[in-house]
C-alpha cells in the first residue's frame, strides 16, 4: 500500500565479500521499481532488499499510473511523471534519516527527459548515494548523457554489473574510484531436470527455453525462424517462451507482438514445436522451468545490451546457453561458458542448438563452467558485497577538495584588480593573469568594481580604484539622455549609444552604493551623477536587471537623503516587484517554484531583489516569495552532503537548464556562486535561519575548491578564474569573475563576523602574559 582521486578498478566481488566486516547494521532506503510490479528491475530490487538482511530497509517504489499492493517494507510511492512527487519524496526520505540511499537506475522508469526527474530528488538527499546502473550506453543521446553525468556526480559509488560497463563509464569521464563491479544477483536451485519436465507436463524431448517479459527487441523471431532447420535434426524439440507481455507494451499494443510470433510460427509450419506461457511466473515456478530446460536461448537484437537478468539466471544455474553476441553475453559466455551466434542468423542458431542437443557431454561441461563462474552471482555473495559497500559509504568521510567549512575566507586582496585597471578603468577580459586591451572596458564591470570598493574601508588602493571606476561611469553617461553606454574600446571610443539593461541597472546600483558609502567625496560625486541618470533604471523590461534595480531601490529606501536623486528608481521599483511576482505566478509549477521555465545565469539575484525590497518596504509577501524561491533554487544548486550541509554546485552555462532536465554541471561561472552567497546572506538577515549561513559558506567554498574538480578558482592575489570546465578551471582571470569572487568573500566574511557575539562590556579580555 502506498504511503505518503583516481585509482585502479575495485577488487573482484568475491574478495570484496570476504572482506566485509561482521556488523553491518544500518538504515537503507532503496529507490526503484518493486514487486508486485512486473518487470525485471522490480524483481531485482526485491531480491536485493532480501539479500541485505543485516540492514533495516525502507523501499521507495516507482509507480506507473497503476495501483500495486506493496509489501510492508514499501513506505512511499512516487508517481513516475509527477515532478512534485520527487520533491516531496526527498523530504520524506530525509525525515527517515537513512545511513545510505541506493537507487536502481534505468532511464525509462523515471519521469522527465531521460528520467531526469529523479535528479530533483537526489540533489536534496542528506545521505550518501549508491547507484546501481541497469543500463549503460556507449553512445547516449544528449538527454541521457546529461542525466547520467549528474547521476554519477551525485553518487558516492556507482555499481555496474560487467567489465564492459566499467570501460564505457571510464571513457565517459567517471572516475575509476567511483565505480564498483558487483554482478547481477541470481537465485539458485538444485532440481532434477527430468523430474521437472514431468511435473510441468513438458514431455521427455529436448527443451529450449526463453523467459522474461515479452516485447519487440527480444529477438524471438530469430529463434522461431531457427526451428525448421533444428527440427530437421531434432524432430521432438520444444521451444518454450515463458513470460507475460510487458505491461507497457500491452497497454500500448495489446498482444500484437505475441500474435505476430504465432503468425510466424504458423507460416513456417513449426507451431506444434512452439509453446507460449503468457503469464508472470513466481520465482519457485521459474526455477522449475529453468531446471527443466536443456538449452537456454537469449536471442536479443541489441548489441548494446549491458546486462540481462534472464541470461544471468540461466548461466549462474549451470544451463547451456546459446546467445547473440550482445555485450553482456560476450562477457558472461566467454571461455566456453556458452555459444554465441551472429545477430539475425537463424541458421547459425539452429546449428548451434542441434550440436548441443546431440552432445550431452559437451552440454554438461559447458553447464559446469557456467555454474562455477556463477558462484559469485548467487544472491548471498552479491548481498554481502552490497552490505560491505553500504557500510563503507555510510562510514566514509564526506568528500571535500581544498576547502573546509571551518576555514575562514582570506582577506579581500586588490592585487589583481590593480593590474587589471589602467587610467581609463577596469579592463573587461584577461588572457591568463594579464589584461587583454583588445576587449576594452564595460560600464557593467566598472560598476561592479565601484560597488565592491565602496564596501571597503576608504584607504589606498581601494579609494584610488573607486575614483577611477566612478570616473568611468561619469564618462559612460550619455549627456542629455540620462542613460549609460556600456562597451568602450581601448581607443576610448564608445561602441554603442545605449548600453544593455544590465549595464543600466548595475551602474545605478553602484552609484547608490557609492552615495551611501563611507567616503564623503565619493558619496557626493555619486549622488550628483545619480541625479543626472533618472532614466537609466526607470524602464527596465528584463527580470534580472529589474532585480538588480530592486537591490538598489531597497538601499535608497533606507536613505532619505537619496529619495530625491533616486525618485525615478523608487517609482519604478514597485512595478518591478509586481512584474517578478507575476512572472512567478505564470511560470511556477509543482516541483518548479521559479520565475521562468528555465535557469540561466545570475539566478539568485531574482530572489535577492524581492527579499531586499520586501525588507526595505515591509512587504512581507515580497520577502516570503523571495525566500521561498531561493529555497527552491538552493535545492537546484545542491551537491552531495558534506559535514554541516550540502555542497554548492551552481547551474553551469554550457546550456540552458529547462524545467525537469538534468542540470548542466560544467562551465560553472563565479557569478552564480557570488550572487547566491549574497542572496543567502540576505535570507539569513530576513529569517534568522542559520541554514542560510551554511549555504553562503558553501557557495564561497565552490570558488575556493569545493567543486567537481577540486580546484580553486580564487587565488591569494584576488584573481578569479572565469569558469569551471570539464578540462579544469579557466586560465583567464577576467573582471566580472574577479570582482564577484571578492564580493562573495566580503559577504561571507561580514556574515561570519556578525555570527560571533561580542564580549560583555563588563568583561576584560585576558591577554597573553596576564596572570
Amino acid at each position: 500500500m502506498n504511503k505518503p582521486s583516481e585509482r585502479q578498478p575495485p577488487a573482484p566481488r568475491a574478495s570484496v565479500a570476504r572482506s566485509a566486516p561482521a556488523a553491518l547494521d544500518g538504515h537503507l532506503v532503496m529507490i526503484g521499481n518493486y514487486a508486485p510490479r512486473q518487470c525485471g528491475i522490480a524483481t531485482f530490487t526485491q531480491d536485493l532488499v532480501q539479500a541485505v538482511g543485516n540492514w533495516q530497509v525502507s523501499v521507495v517504489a516507482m509507480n506507473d499510473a497503476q495501483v500495486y499492493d506493496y509489501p510492508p517494507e514499501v513506505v512511499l510511492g512516487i508517481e513516475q511523471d509527477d515532478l512534485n512527487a520527487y520533491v516531496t519524496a526527498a523530504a520524506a526520505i530525509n525525515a527517515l534519516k537513512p545511513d545510505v540511499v541506493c537507487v536502481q537506475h534505468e532511464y525509462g522508469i523515471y519521469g522527465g527527459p531521460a528520467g531526469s526527474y529523479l535528479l530533483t530528488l537526489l540533489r536534496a538527499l542528506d545521505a550518501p548515494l549508491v547507484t546501481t546502473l541497469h543500463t549503460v550506453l556507449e553512445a547516449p543521446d544528449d538527454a541521457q548523457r546529461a542525466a547520467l553525468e549528474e547521476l554519477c556526480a551525485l553518487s558516492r559509488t556507482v555499481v555496474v554489473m560487467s567489465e564492459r560497463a566499467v570501460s564505457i563509464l571510464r571513457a565517459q569521464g567517471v572516475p575509476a574510484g567511483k565505480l564498483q563491479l558487483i554482478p547481477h544477483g541470481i537465485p539458485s536451485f538444485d532440481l532434477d531436470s527430468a523430474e521437472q519436465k514431468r511435473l510441468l507436463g513438458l514431455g521427455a524431448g529436448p527443451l529450449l527455453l526463453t523467459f522474461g517479459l515479452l516485447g519487440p527487441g527480444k529477438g524471438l523471431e530469430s529463434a522461431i525462424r531457427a526451428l525448421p532447420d533444428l527440427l530437421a535434426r531434432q524432430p521432438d524439440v520444444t521451444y518454450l517462451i515463458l513470460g507475460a507481455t510487458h505491461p507497457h507494451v500491452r497497454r500500448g499494443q495489446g498482444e500484437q507482438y505475441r500474435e505476430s510470433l504465432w503468425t510466424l510460427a504458423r507460416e513456417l509450419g513449426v507451431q506444434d514445436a512452439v509453446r507460449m506461457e503468457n503469464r508472470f511466473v513466481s520465482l519457485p515456478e521459474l526455477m522449475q522451468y529453468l531446471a527443466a530446460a536443456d538449452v537456454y536461448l537469449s536471442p536479443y537484437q541489441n548489441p548494446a545490451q549491458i546486462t540481462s537478468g534472464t541470461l544471468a539466471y540461466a548461466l549462474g544455474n549451470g544451463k547451456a546457453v546459446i546467445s547473440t553476441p550482445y555485450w553482456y553475453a560476450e562477457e558472461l559466455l566467454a571461455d566456453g561458458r556458452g555459444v554465441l551466434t551472429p545477430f539475425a542468423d537463424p541458421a547459425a542458431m539452429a546449428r548451434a542448438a542441434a550440436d548441443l542437443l546431440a552432445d550431452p557431454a559437451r552440454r554438461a561441461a559447458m553447464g559446469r563452467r557456467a555454474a562455477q563462474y556463477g558462484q559469485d552471482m548467487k544472491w548471498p555473495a552479491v548481498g554481502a558485497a552490497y552490505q560491505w559497500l553500504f557500510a563503507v559509504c555510510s562510514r566514509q568521510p564526506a568528500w571535500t577538495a581544498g576547502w573546509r567549512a571551518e576555514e575562514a575566507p582570506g582577506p579581500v586582496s586588490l592585487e589583481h584588480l590593480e593590474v587589471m585597471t589602467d587610467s581609463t578603468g577596469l579592463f573587461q577580459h584577461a588572457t591568463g593573469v594579464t589584461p587583454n586591451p583588445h576587449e576594452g572596458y564595460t560600464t557593467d564591470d566598472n560598476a561592479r568594481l565601484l560597488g565592491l570598493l565602496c564596501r571597503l574601508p576608504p584607504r589606498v588602493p581601494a579609494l584610488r580604484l573607486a575614483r577611477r571606476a566612478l570616473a568611468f561611469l561619469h564618462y559612460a553617461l550619455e549627456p542629455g539622455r540620462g542613460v549609460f553606454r556600456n562597451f568602450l574600446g581601448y581607443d576610448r571610443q564608445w561602441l554603442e549609444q545605449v548600453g544593455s539593461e544590465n549595464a543600466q541597472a548595475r551602474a545605478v546600483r553602484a552609484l547608490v552604493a557609492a552615495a551611501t558609502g563611507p567616503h564623503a567625496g565619493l558619496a557626493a560625486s555619486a549622488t550628483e551623477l545619480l541625479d543626472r541618470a533618472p532614466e537609466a533604471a526607470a524602464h527596465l523590461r528584463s527580470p534580472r536587471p529589474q532585480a538588480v534595480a530592486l537591490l538598489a531601490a531597497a538601499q535608497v529606501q533606507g536613505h532619505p537623503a537619496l529619495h530625491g536623486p533616486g525618485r525615478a528608481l523608487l517609482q519604478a521599483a514597485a512595478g518591478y516587484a509586481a512584474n517578478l511576482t507575476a512572472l512567478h505566478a505564470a511560470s511556477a509549477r509543482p516541483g518548479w517554484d521559479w520565475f521562468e521555465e528555465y535557469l540561466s545565469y545570475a539566478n539568485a539575484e531574482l530572489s535577492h531583489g524581492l527579499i531586499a525590497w520586501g525588507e526595505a518596504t515591509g512587504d512581507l509577501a515580497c520577502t516570503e516569495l523571495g525566500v521561498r524561491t531561493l529555497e527552491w533554487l538552493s535545492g537546484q544548486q545542491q551537491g552531495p552532503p558534506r559535514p554541516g550541509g550540502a555542497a554548492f554546485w551552481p547551474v553551469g552555462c554550457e546550456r540552458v537548464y529547462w524545467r525537469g532536465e538534468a542540470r548542466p554541471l560544467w562551465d560553472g561561472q563565479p557569478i552564480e556562486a557570488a550572487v547566491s552567497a549574497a542572496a543567502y546572506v540576505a535570507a539569513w538577515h530576513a529569517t534568522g535561519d542559520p541554514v542560510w549561513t551554511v549555504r553562503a559558506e558553501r557557495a564561497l567554498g565552490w570558488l575556493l575548491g569545493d567543486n567537481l574538480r577540486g580546484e580553486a578558482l580564487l587565488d591569494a592575489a584576488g584573481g578569479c578564474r572565469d569558469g569551471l570546465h570539464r578540462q579544469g578551471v579557466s586560465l583567464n582571470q577576467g573582471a566580472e569573475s574577479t570582482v564577484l569572487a571578492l564580493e562573495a568573500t566580503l559577504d561571507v566574511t561580514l556574515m561570519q563576523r556578525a555570527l560571533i557575539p561580542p564580549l560583555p562590556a563588563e568583561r576584560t579580555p585576558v591577554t597573553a602574559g596576564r596572570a
Side-chain angles (χ1 to χ4, degrees):
M1 188 85 58
N2 290 352
K3 304 174 185 178
S5 70
E6 296 285 307
R7 64 175 177 83
Q8 293 300 311
R13 55 270 186 186
S15 62
V16 168
R18 285 196 296 270
S19 65
L24 296 172
D25 296 337
H27 186 190
L28 168 71
V29 167
M30 188 79 72
I31 303 173
N33 293 358
Y34 205 72
R37 182 171 174 176
Q38 295 181 3
C39 79
I41 293 179
T43 301
F44 178 94
T45 307
Q46 186 176 53
D47 289 343
L48 178 56
V49 167
Q50 295 170 353
V52 293
N54 286 1
W55 286 72
Q56 173 194 349
V57 183
S58 300
V59 177
V60 176
M62 297 305 305
N63 294 330
D64 57 349
Q66 305 297 307
V67 176
Y68 299 102
D69 185 16
Y70 288 121
E73 62 266 24
V74 177
V75 299
L76 180 69
I78 300 176
E79 191 56 48
Q80 174 177 335
D81 295 319
D82 182 359
L83 177 60
N84 195 49
Y86 295 82
V87 177
T88 57
I93 291 170
N94 286 336
L96 295 173
K97 300 187 182 302
D99 298 292
V100 183
V101 174
C102 182
V103 167
Q104 304 305 313
H105 183 265
E106 201 281 324
Y107 295 104
I109 68 175
Y110 302 102
S116 56
Y117 283 6
L118 172 67
L119 302 171
T120 298
L121 186 163
L122 302 184
R123 292 170 200 144
L125 292 180
D126 295 336
L129 174 66
V130 174
T131 296
T132 301
L133 297 180
H134 291 260
T135 297
V136 176
L137 302 175
E138 193 169 43
D141 63 29
D142 290 344
Q144 291 165 338
R145 181 181 293 106
L148 180 68
E149 182 174 55
E150 185 175 354
L151 179 65
C152 291
L154 289 169
S155 301
R156 183 74 60 84
T157 299
V158 177
V159 178
V160 293
M161 304 181 195
S162 68
E163 295 285 0
R164 181 67 175 260
V166 172
S167 300
I168 291 172
L169 293 175
R170 288 295 314 279
Q172 293 176 1
V174 180
K178 185 168 280 194
L179 296 172
Q180 183 73 43
L181 174 59
I182 301 177
H184 194 295
I186 60 170
S188 60
F189 62 85
D190 185 15
L191 301 173
D192 179 73
S193 178
E195 176 67 9
Q196 297 310 312
K197 281 184 181 180
R198 184 187 65 80
L199 291 174
L200 295 171
L202 295 174
L207 178 65
L208 307 181
L209 173 67
T210 298
F211 75 85
L213 294 172
L214 264 64
K218 297 290 187 177
L220 300 177
E221 301 90 339
S222 290
I224 292 175
R225 291 183 188 279
L227 288 178
D229 289 347
L230 176 57
L231 289 167
R233 292 178 58 181
Q234 293 281 350
D236 56 347
V237 73
T238 298
Y239 179 36
L240 173 60
I241 299 173
L242 176 65
T245 300
H246 195 290
H248 290 177
V249 174
R250 189 169 59 246
R251 283 200 295 271
Q253 304 173 19
E255 295 292 347
Q256 179 179 334
Y257 179 66
R258 186 182 298 274
E259 290 299 329
S260 73
L261 296 177
W262 276 124
T263 299
L264 177 61
R266 286 191 291 267
E267 290 175 352
L268 296 173
V270 298
Q271 65 272 20
D272 292 339
V274 176
R275 178 171 171 176
M276 292 194 199
E277 295 282 347
N278 186 5
R279 55 198 180 89
F280 191 84
V281 298
S282 66
L283 180 60
E285 193 174 6
L286 174 59
M287 294 298 98
Q288 286 185 278
Y289 279 102
L290 195 52
D294 296 289
V295 174
Y296 185 78
L297 296 185
S298 184
Y300 286 160
Q301 296 175 333
N302 181 12
Q305 185 87 19
I306 199 68
T307 188
S308 167
T310 59
L311 176 61
Y313 276 35
L315 173 130
N317 283 286
K319 287 288 119 178
V321 177
I322 300 172
S323 176
T324 50
Y326 56 91
W327 293 344
Y328 192 57
E330 285 183 320
E331 189 167 319
L332 258 64
L333 303 182
D335 301 325
R337 293 188 293 269
V339 178
L340 297 176
T341 63
F343 292 104
D345 192 343
M349 185 171 287
R351 288 193 300 271
D355 290 346
L356 273 179
L357 292 174
D359 192 345
R362 180 187 172 209
R363 197 165 69 245
M366 184 180 294
R368 286 193 295 272
R369 287 190 292 269
Q372 179 61 37
Y373 183 84
Q375 289 304 306
D376 290 341
M377 302 169 68
K378 301 294 177 67
W379 271 117
V382 170
Y386 270 101
Q387 289 186 90
W388 172 85
L389 181 60
F390 295 153
V392 169
C393 289
S394 66
R395 299 168 186 172
Q396 184 180 24
W399 172 85
T400 55
W403 181 79
R404 303 293 188 272
E406 63 270 18
E407 293 179 0
V412 173
S413 171
L414 300 179
E415 181 181 335
H416 183 60
L417 286 176
E418 288 190 276
V419 173
M420 286 288 292
T421 307
D422 69 1
S423 60
T424 299
L426 178 63
F427 286 105
Q428 179 180 193
H429 291 303
T431 302
V433 298
T434 305
N436 182 356
H438 294 284
E439 301 294 334
Y441 321 81
T442 69
T443 295
D444 196 323
D445 292 331
N446 280 274
R448 289 186 189 277
L449 176 62
L450 178 61
L452 166 68
L453 297 171
C454 288
R455 301 176 62 195
L456 298 175
R459 302 171 186 151
V460 179
L463 184 56
R464 178 175 65 246
L465 294 176
R467 286 171 172 169
R468 197 164 294 162
L470 183 54
F472 188 97
L473 296 188
H474 271 280
Y475 186 47
L477 185 67
E478 188 176 3
R481 297 183 60 183
V483 295
F484 294 90
R485 292 163 289 198
N486 190 30
F487 289 103
L488 181 69
Y490 189 52
D491 58 0
R492 295 188 179 180
Q493 298 298 309
W494 290 104
L495 305 180
E496 61 195 355
Q497 290 302 308
V498 178
S500 67
E501 288 194 352
N502 271 327
Q504 309 302 324
R506 297 197 190 286
V508 169
R509 188 183 181 199
L511 293 176
V512 170
T516 57
H519 191 278
L522 280 178
S525 181
T527 302
E528 183 271 336
L529 187 57
L530 181 65
D531 195 37
R532 289 197 289 118
E535 298 297 307
H539 308 288
L540 304 173
R541 297 179 179 274
S542 298
R544 280 163 183 76
Q546 288 183 348
V548 174
L550 284 174
L551 294 171
Q555 200 165 358
V556 170
Q557 183 75 13
H559 290 79
L562 289 182
H563 286 188
R567 59 191 176 278
L569 175 63
L570 290 175
Q571 291 168 1
Y576 296 160
N579 183 57
L580 290 179
T581 302
L583 286 174
H584 176 268
S587 298
R589 300 287 186 276
W592 187 266
D593 198 10
W594 195 241
F595 306 90
E596 299 160 318
E597 293 291 328
Y598 56 85
L599 293 174
S600 55
Y601 79 101
N603 298 295
E605 279 185 329
L606 299 180
S607 300
H608 189 185
L610 288 175
I611 294 171
W613 182 246
E615 289 295 283
T617 62
D619 187 337
L620 297 181
C622 200
T623 300
E624 189 278 333
L625 179 58
V627 172
R628 194 180 80 227
T629 53
L630 189 64
E631 177 70 40
W632 176 86
L633 178 63
S634 175
Q636 302 301 306
Q637 298 185 139
Q638 188 165 306
R642 301 278 191 269
F648 174 84
W649 283 2
V651 174
C653 293
E654 63 180 358
R655 59 179 169 82
V656 173
Y657 169 35
W658 292 92
R659 176 183 178 272
E661 290 183 336
R663 60 182 165 176
L665 295 176
W666 300 106
D667 292 355
Q669 305 289 309
I671 187 173
E672 299 305 325
V675 300
S676 295
Y680 294 160
V681 172
W684 169 61
H685 283 295
T687 67
D689 190 339
V691 70
W692 295 111
T693 65
V694 175
R695 289 171 177 167
E697 291 173 341
R698 297 302 187 195
L700 178 61
W702 184 83
L703 293 168
L704 299 179
D706 187 11
N707 52 52
L708 276 165
R709 293 194 58 85
E711 299 182 51
L713 283 76
L714 180 62
D715 64 24
C720 184
R721 308 295 181 87
D722 286 341
L724 185 70
H725 314 300
R726 281 184 175 82
Q727 301 77 17
V729 294
S730 170
L731 297 178
N732 302 326
Q733 297 184 347
E736 179 184 273
S737 300
T738 294
V739 174
L740 284 167
L742 297 180
E743 284 269 18
T745 302
L746 185 59
D747 285 330
V748 172
T749 299
L750 294 176
M751 178 195 74
Q752 290 176 335
R753 289 177 184 171
L755 290 170
I756 302 174
L759 291 172
E762 65 274 11
R763 174 189 278 178
T764 302
V766 176
T767 58
R770 181 175 176 175

